[in-house]
């Protein structure tokens, strides 16, 4: 079965950390660009961070630079998002998505590609940052 499954969301206080994981099954991440996206209530979906096994430099949106770190573990076919110094404005549903490397770039996937362009989406995990 081809799918992406996110985990690791939860409730955390401002300044805290969470580590999100996205496990792929039925396909290998090496052939794809992988991205983390988020959507807060009443707001549009936004690309948080995107990368691939061939990327020299991952993409991060400005508001998370220096706080979030994306990584791929090929042995586990998993992409993770380490989130540090979390802020209330980071509260959102977080989704991972995958698109064939031949069809996009790391930057494009996070900033230009449409949701319908993705080959696979996970169902999401909720991150709530609140005191």
């Amino acid at each position: 079965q081809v799918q992406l499954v996110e985990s690791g969301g939860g409730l955390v206080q401002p300044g805290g950390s969470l580590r999100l994981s996205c496990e792929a099954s039925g396909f290998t991440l090496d052939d794809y660009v992988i991205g983390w996206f988020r959507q807060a209530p009443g707001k549009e979906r936004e690309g948080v961070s995107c990368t691939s096994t061939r990327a020299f430099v991952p993409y991060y949106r400005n508001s998370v630079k220096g706080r979030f770190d994306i990584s791929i573990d090929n042995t586990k076919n998993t992409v993770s998002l380490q989130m540090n110094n979390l802020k209330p404005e980071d509260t959102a549903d977080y989704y991972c998505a995958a698109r064939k490397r031949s069809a996009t770039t790391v930057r494009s996937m996070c900033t230009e590609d449409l949701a319908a362009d993705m080959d696979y989406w996970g169902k999401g995990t909720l991150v709530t940052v609140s005191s």
Side-chain angles (χ1 to χ4, degrees), residues 36-51:
W36 283 98
F37 298 81
R38 67 187 182 187
Q39 187 166 20
K43 295 187 177 180
E44 293 187 354
R45 177 185 64 98
E46 58 187 24
V48 177
S49 181
C50 293
T51 192

Side-chain angles (χ1 to χ4, degrees), residues 57-73:
V57 180
Y59 169 86
Y60 296 96
R61 70 180 301 105
N62 286 338
S63 61
V64 307
K65 282 183 180 178
R67 300 189 296 124
F68 290 12
D69 180 53
I70 191 170
S71 60
I72 297 177
D73 185 338

